[in-house]
Amino acid sequence: MFESLSDRLQNTFSRLGARGRLGEADVDEALKEVRRALLEADVNFKVVKDFVGRVREQAIGENITKSLSPAQMVVKIVNDELIHLLGDEAVPLASAQPSPTIILLVGLNGAGKTTMAGKLGLFLRKKHRNPLLVACDVYRPAAIKQLETLGKQIQVPVHSEGTQVSPVTIARNGIAEARKNGHGVVILDTAGRLQIDEALMQELEEIRAATNPHETLLVVDAMIGQESVRVAEEFNRRVPLSGFVMTKIDGDARGGAALSIRQVTGVPIKFLGTSEKVDGLQPFDPPRLASRILGMGDVLTLIERAEENIDKEEAAKMQKKMQKGKFDFEDFLSAMKQMRRLGPLQQILGMLPGMSQLKLDEHINEDDLKHIEAIIQSMTLEERRNPDIIKQSRKERIARGSGSELEDVNELLKQFREMQRMMKGMMGMMPGAGSGRPAPTNNKGGSGKKGKSKKKKARAPQLPGARPGMPGFGPQAGLGPNSSPSDIESMLRNMRKDQ
Amino acid sequence: MFRRLFGGDDRKTEQPEEQPPIEDTATNAEHAPTAEQPRPQARLFASVDALDVEAQRIAEAEAAAARRREQSGLRRLFGGQERTEQEIQREVAKTTAAVQKTRSTGMFGRISDMFKVDQLITPELWEELEELMIAGDVGVDTTLTVIERIQTEVERNNIYKASDARALLKRELVQLLQVDQPQFSEQTTKPYVMLVIGVNGAGKTTLIAKLANRYKQEMGKDVLLGAADTFRAAAVEQLQTWAERIQVPVIAQGQGADPGAVAFDALQATNARNADVLIIDTAGRLQAKYNLMKELEKIKNIVSKRVPEAPHEVLLVIDATTGQNGISQAKAFMEAANVTHLALTKLDSSAKGGVAFAMVQEIKRPIKYIGTGEKLDDVAVFDPEAFVDALFED
């Protein structure tokens, strides 16, 4: 769905042709793509304008070096600038003396304040800061109950007074209780409100005046669009912010609002909310957010998604087999299924830095994969477990059964053997067996022996892998023997650039 | 090498790509689609004559007002039920009021102003227009497409005044929102089963309360709610609190229960009590989560098995502040649960919900409702013409 910025720039520059130095025309052409990428990531258009202006200044006149192509150079400048603007390093949560530290959570409806309150509560409890949650949302039905339920889950006490008391009073009483009971931190959960709702914004000002928070955090949904700027400006004007947190970052939103909000308010990003689980909280990570905004691959998201969606036991078993080089077609099928859980192929590939430049579309297409699957499914269980027994007559049967040509079967077998050889020297791909919610297993392997009977003009089903292995899972990840030097070179360059 | 292991998108293999949601509607006389009411021929912005735009605009305004009085989009959407003049006007006023907020601060207000000035069409005008649309979350692709189309029209018709391009823009925007979607009649389908879906925090539960209230108060329907958001803390209680306020029963099993089982129970109860409408609330889910999207498919299948043709309405709820991720949401939810309609919530905010244009185009499903506030009656039926019309009202 997203064409990455690197792809686009690559295209732009190949159209322009390589020159010794980035001229104004080249840069302006490239910046059009930068602008577009940022807008698609929901960075506010005014912020985009400023940003593009800064990048332009830096890019014009840059010498094109041997190690970086013009496209890579622009990407590097853009990426560096983005990281710089997002904030070079994380700013820790305030810690007030004397305690308690008071944290006020504010934001639009449905941004995820209450969930964030729970996550912060757990985070601080683990840091032995003895937090207290205070339920100031008296408007949304069952909001208090939600905080209480979360409190129970994370074993953090919750101060609540029902819905008939004013939020200002609740906040004040909550802090008094925290003082009395020696809590280190008070987290005030407030009702969601539109920044244009005068009455509710006034109420927020009153809460702030009554509690004097050390941290006023704006909670922002990663999916928010251009409006982020106005929302942030207005909240910041009414209740000066000390930082903001971005939630729902575990989705596929690019989160460009982070840049917008950072730009218009100047306050730092403090946390990212990942997943609906109470421990889904991460300190802010500028490079990660930058490559996400640019749509340039986000290996961490891929890994997280893998952790959430892949059957751990199955993965661990497979990993062992791989290390021993005992990887059969059964495992191959199962691996294909596991991978599919991560999302559409193109999206997964897009998350791997550098993958985009390998022009994968030409090598991997979903039909080929289905074709491969059909061939494997036309094998008997014995053949799958021990491919060596597949000789001529079996090959012919398999080809017939899967509606493919003999040469396709040969090709698959050849590539599979090659893959088996490489397995031994390769690092584990999947996160090692760990805890987590188990995903349902559905790897029964040999279901459906029919395969595809449709006769279509068979193109040799290329195992999509005659090229480097897992770039992005660490530079040491296996490189296939077929990788051409230039691929590896450009891949490594990309990794340096993207990471 | 690992790339060899990447499987394709099995969702594609499991689900036929093109699968019109309620195909049999047309053939089933009982469920005659209500959307087939003939549209009044006085189409807004239908033709643009460069010399006569002003006069036409007045005529249009009159025609629109008359049309609203006598019909309005509401009848189309509410099963041809006769509504009083008052009701209709209240409805239109609600849409207008919500949109007015957008207008005064937002892009459409400015676009409107821009075209009003009696100036010539210049390259700057297009640039400014582009910027305004992007600022309204319309998105780069849609914006460029719309502008390109208007530019072509302008050239073809020798239009040189900016004000003349205005009618073209309106027409273009209305057209983007108009997609035909056959639908079951809420009047004659019994039980009418709705599945309400969307990402976290979109406003599903609140919208459900509003719709339940509407069905009950305004249409006299016997409504039942199914609390299938069993994941989020206190989601069930949230729905129950609303239900108490509007006095409709809720079928729930509490947190942690299997949402499919809740849906099943709710369908049983609907049949047992002979209720007219069942609205099933589901947990918010981000579309990138494979397991959760699969769960949604499962809930939908359970519903279909129990009541043929159900769910009659699969409503995807979108927060109007959403940016370009809306498109990804539309695609993914379409694939998992075959969305029939969209609902745009929080339109009382300063956000414009411009991504809705792209979403409607992406999945070819119309917007049915807009949420315009936090009160129970802050919901209005969405009508593309009335909506865009209100955006451009002077």
Side-chain angles (χ1 to χ4, degrees):
Chain A
M1 169 179 162
F2 304 122
E3 197 186 357
S4 80
L5 178 62
S6 349
D7 281 344
R8 286 184 182 159
L9 289 176
Q10 200 86 36
N11 293 338
T12 310
F13 282 110
S14 58
R15 211 170 55 232
L16 293 171
R19 269 164 239 157
R21 176 184 292 266
L22 288 180
E24 281 196 35
D26 305 330
V27 171
D28 284 339
E29 202 59 34
L31 288 179
K32 271 190 204 158
E33 298 300 337
V34 174
R35 173 175 180 266
R36 195 183 173 113
L38 294 174
L39 286 174
E40 278 174 5
D42 291 321
V43 180
N44 181 273
F45 75 102
K46 284 183 197 146
V47 176
V48 171
K49 240 184 209 171
D50 291 350
F51 182 85
V52 167
R54 283 159 169 271
V55 171
R56 186 170 191 274
E57 265 172 42
Q58 291 180 42
I60 287 177
E62 275 288 324
N63 286 314
I64 292 174
T65 57
K66 269 195 187 140
S67 59
L68 291 181
S69 73
Q72 286 168 334
M73 219 153 76
V74 174
V75 170
K76 187 178 183 320
I77 296 170
V78 168
N79 199 36
D80 289 353
E81 184 67 17
L82 198 52
I83 292 171
H84 173 63
L85 290 181
L86 283 171
D88 288 314
E89 51 198 82
V91 182
L93 218 47
S95 180
Q97 282 305 329
S99 59
T101 305
I102 297 163
I103 301 175
L104 178 64
L105 296 177
V106 302
L108 297 177
N109 313 61
K113 286 174 297 301
T114 307
T115 304
M116 183 49 72
K119 288 177 178 184
L120 280 176
L122 180 64
F123 173 80
L124 292 166
R125 181 176 70 77
K126 283 184 179 164
K127 296 208 155 209
H128 309 292
R129 289 182 65 182
N130 191 15
L132 174 73
L133 295 168
V134 180
C136 300
D137 182 354
V138 298
Y139 304 107
R140 182 166 58 96
I144 295 173
K145 181 84 203 309
Q146 185 185 353
L147 195 65
E148 284 172 348
T149 309
L150 283 170
K152 223 172 270 167
Q153 229 172 307
I154 59 172
Q155 296 164 26
V156 169
V158 177
H159 174 91
S160 66
E161 302 180 30
T163 56
Q164 300 308 313
V165 185
S166 106
V168 182
T169 311
I170 299 174
R172 213 182 270 134
N173 292 344
I175 291 168
E177 188 191 319
R179 289 222 167 85
K180 201 178 77 193
N181 296 340
H183 287 284
V185 185
V186 182
I187 302 168
L188 303 171
D189 179 31
T190 64
R193 64 202 75 217
L194 299 172
Q195 85 280 7
I196 51 171
D197 188 324
E198 185 48 41
L200 283 180
M201 289 306 281
Q202 210 165 335
E203 178 199 279
L204 207 54
E205 285 178 332
E206 284 165 26
I207 294 176
R208 179 173 184 274
T211 59
N212 242 329
H214 305 95
E215 289 273 10
T216 303
L217 301 177
L218 179 69
V219 180
V220 190
D221 187 326
M223 295 176 276
I224 194 171
Q226 297 285 320
E227 209 48 25
S228 59
V229 160
R230 248 185 284 186
V231 173
E233 273 175 343
E234 190 58 14
F235 270 99
N236 194 33
R237 189 175 74 81
R238 305 296 290 259
V239 285
L241 304 172
S242 63
F244 66 103
V245 287
M246 188 159 250
T247 60
K248 307 179 203 173
I249 199 88
D250 47 332
D252 61 5
R254 307 250 298 260
L259 178 64
S260 309
I261 296 173
R262 169 90 181 136
Q263 281 301 95
V264 299
T265 62
V267 300
I269 308 173
K270 298 238 164 160
F271 290 100
L272 300 175
T274 62
S275 101
E276 294 179 82
K277 284 173 234 150
V278 282
D279 59 353
L281 185 72
Q282 280 191 347
F284 166 59
D285 177 352
R288 178 179 179 186
L289 206 54
S291 52
R292 191 187 176 104
I293 289 173
L294 295 176
M296 289 202 316
D298 180 353
V299 183
L300 285 174
T301 299
L302 183 59
I303 291 173
E304 276 167 17
R305 215 184 268 183
E307 277 177 347
E308 210 167 296
N309 289 320
I310 282 184
D311 183 336
K312 302 247 162 56
E313 272 174 39
E314 196 66 29
K317 225 163 51 189
M318 210 181 301
Q319 195 179 358
K320 260 188 206 142
K321 280 185 150 182
M322 281 177 179
Q323 278 160 355
K324 288 185 194 151
K326 279 187 194 158
F327 185 79
D328 61 30
F329 274 118
E330 284 277 88
D331 302 314
F332 186 80
L333 264 187
S334 149
M336 275 172 104
K337 276 192 190 132
Q338 295 269 346
M339 284 303 178
R340 284 175 180 184
R341 293 167 161 256
L342 301 185
L345 186 61
Q346 292 309 324
Q347 205 187 51
I348 299 173
L349 295 176
M351 285 188 217
L352 297 173
M355 287 299 247
S356 52
Q357 280 172 37
L358 300 178
K359 299 277 172 252
L360 284 164
D361 314 24
E362 295 163 23
H363 297 282
I364 300 184
N365 95 33
E366 311 237 328
D367 284 347
D368 286 351
L369 291 174
K370 279 179 212 160
H371 207 146
I372 290 169
E373 213 174 318
I375 295 178
I376 299 174
Q377 279 176 343
S378 295
M379 297 175 187
T380 64
L381 215 54
E382 204 192 343
E383 286 163 350
R384 283 184 225 170
R385 289 192 180 137
N386 186 8
D388 290 337
I389 63 168
I390 304 179
K391 302 288 187 246
Q392 191 60 22
S393 77
R394 285 181 192 260
K395 282 180 192 167
E396 279 168 16
R397 194 204 73 245
I398 291 166
R400 273 198 310 277
S402 57
S404 47
E405 305 291 326
L406 193 60
E407 61 193 83
D408 298 346
V409 179
N410 275 328
E411 181 68 17
L412 178 68
L413 287 169
K414 196 181 114 202
Q415 293 198 33
F416 186 78
R417 269 194 292 276
E418 199 177 278
M419 188 165 77
Q420 272 182 322
R421 268 204 307 280
M422 291 193 299
M423 284 291 172
K424 283 180 192 164
M426 205 191 56
M427 306 290 297
M429 78 171 166
M430 298 182 196
S435 57
R437 88 171 151 179
T441 316
N442 59 350
N443 300 303
K444 299 283 181 284
S447 58
K449 291 198 174 177
K450 268 197 299 183
K452 288 253 167 81
S453 53
K454 238 198 308 178
K455 271 277 175 197
K456 73 175 179 190
K457 187 68 203 133
R459 184 147 65 96
Q462 257 242 310
L463 268 180
R467 276 168 177 258
M470 280 306 261
F473 277 90
Q476 76 278 36
L479 294 168
N482 293 350
S483 322
S484 71
S486 69
D487 283 344
I488 297 170
E489 206 180 65
S490 88
M491 194 185 78
L492 288 174
R493 271 203 307 266
N494 275 314
M495 276 187 316
R496 272 200 302 274
K497 171 194 73 200
D498 289 348
Q499 299 296 300
Chain B
M1 165 195 323
F2 267 106
R3 278 187 290 123
R4 302 187 183 197
L5 306 181
F6 282 114
D9 179 5
D10 60 352
R11 272 169 273 179
K12 267 190 187 154
T13 61
E14 280 166 22
Q15 269 206 335
E17 286 238 323
E18 289 298 322
Q19 196 188 60
I22 18 183
E23 241 175 355
D24 12 6
T25 328
T27 55
N28 192 337
E30 228 177 63
H31 304 303
T34 53
E36 279 184 7
Q37 296 243 357
R39 231 172 252 284
Q41 274 315 292
R43 275 285 313 258
L44 298 186
F45 334 122
S47 65
V48 179
D49 185 333
L51 300 172
D52 207 7
V53 167
E54 206 50 39
Q56 195 193 330
R57 225 163 45 79
I58 295 164
E60 272 170 8
E62 277 169 7
R67 189 175 55 84
R68 257 189 238 137
R69 273 196 300 279
E70 73 184 36
Q71 191 199 15
S72 105
L74 304 174
R75 215 170 70 192
R76 282 208 301 278
L77 287 152
F78 271 85
Q81 189 198 31
E82 284 304 323
R83 302 173 65 85
T84 64
E85 169 101 350
Q86 231 181 356
E87 277 173 332
I88 291 166
Q89 272 179 354
R90 204 176 44 140
E91 206 58 65
V92 170
K94 224 185 275 170
T95 311
T96 314
V99 171
Q100 218 127 35
K101 264 186 206 154
T102 305
R103 273 190 69 217
S104 53
T105 51
M107 92 184 210
F108 288 106
R110 282 172 61 196
I111 290 178
S112 210
D113 290 344
M114 205 161 71
F115 280 110
K116 224 184 304 170
V117 183
D118 206 7
Q119 60 171 339
L120 298 179
I121 295 170
T122 59
E124 289 76 41
L125 180 89
W126 297 121
E127 256 171 53
E128 200 177 335
L129 181 60
E130 181 188 320
E131 200 164 89
L132 287 169
M133 288 176 77
I134 285 169
D137 285 322
V138 176
V140 180
D141 283 343
T142 311
T143 299
L144 294 183
T145 314
V146 169
I147 290 180
E148 222 164 83
R149 264 188 236 156
I150 305 173
Q151 279 173 333
T152 315
E153 289 269 312
V154 161
E155 243 166 68
R156 200 168 48 210
N157 297 321
N158 271 328
I159 293 169
Y160 57 90
K161 277 200 297 191
S163 56
D164 297 351
R166 171 192 151 114
L168 279 174
L169 176 64
K170 277 208 247 179
R171 188 182 64 180
E172 200 59 46
L173 289 174
V174 168
Q175 271 175 2
L176 283 180
L177 294 171
Q178 277 172 336
V179 286
D180 280 332
Q181 166 73 353
Q183 69 170 42
F184 292 93
S185 159
E186 289 150 315
Q187 289 299 340
T188 55
T189 310
K190 186 171 174 171
Y192 187 81
V193 182
M194 278 176 76
L195 193 60
V196 180
I197 60 178
V199 296
N200 314 62
K204 288 176 292 301
T205 309
T206 308
L207 182 72
I208 287 170
K210 292 174 184 176
L211 293 178
N213 184 53
R214 189 184 174 100
Y215 277 118
K216 185 179 166 163
Q217 301 299 331
E218 297 182 23
M219 296 172 73
K221 296 286 185 188
D222 204 351
V223 185
L224 197 67
L225 303 180
D229 180 355
T230 56
F231 183 80
R232 208 204 64 197
V236 174
E237 285 87 346
Q238 187 181 348
L239 192 67
Q240 280 167 337
T241 310
W242 278 118
E244 266 165 43
R245 276 185 215 172
I246 52 181
Q247 306 255 305
V248 297
V250 183
I251 303 300
Q253 294 183 358
Q255 204 182 335
D258 174 38
V262 176
F264 186 85
D265 271 9
L267 287 162
Q268 297 276 53
T270 307
N271 286 339
R273 298 174 194 203
N274 202 22
D276 301 312
V277 178
L278 168 64
I279 310 178
I280 301 171
D281 188 15
T282 62
R285 63 199 75 224
L286 297 176
Q287 69 273 21
K289 307 253 166 158
Y290 178 85
N291 288 336
L292 296 179
M293 294 308 271
K294 280 284 168 205
E295 178 191 273
L296 195 58
E297 270 183 55
K298 192 182 134 201
I299 297 172
K300 192 183 171 236
N301 288 339
I302 287 171
V303 172
S304 309
K305 267 191 198 143
R306 190 86 192 90
V307 179
E309 297 181 316
H312 305 92
E313 186 173 325
V314 179
L315 193 62
L316 174 59
V317 181
I318 306 288
D319 182 335
T321 49
T322 307
Q324 298 310 298
N325 190 248
I327 302 167
S328 159
Q329 290 173 29
K331 270 191 209 166
F333 280 100
M334 186 72 195
E335 202 175 304
N338 215 337
V339 174
T340 65
H341 295 86
L342 300 170
L344 211 49
T345 59
K346 308 182 201 174
L347 213 63
D348 51 328
S349 72
S350 55
K352 296 105 195 166
V355 74
F357 290 102
M359 291 176 66
V360 168
Q361 284 303 305
E362 181 68 43
I363 61 171
K364 302 289 175 206
R365 293 291 186 267
I367 302 169
K368 186 167 179 179
Y369 300 106
I370 55 172
T372 56
E374 291 177 71
K375 290 190 300 299
L376 265 179
D377 64 345
D378 287 336
V379 60
V381 167
F382 180 88
D383 177 63
E385 295 190 22
F387 183 73
V388 178
D389 210 24
L391 290 171
F392 286 90
E393 243 165 34
D394 297 326

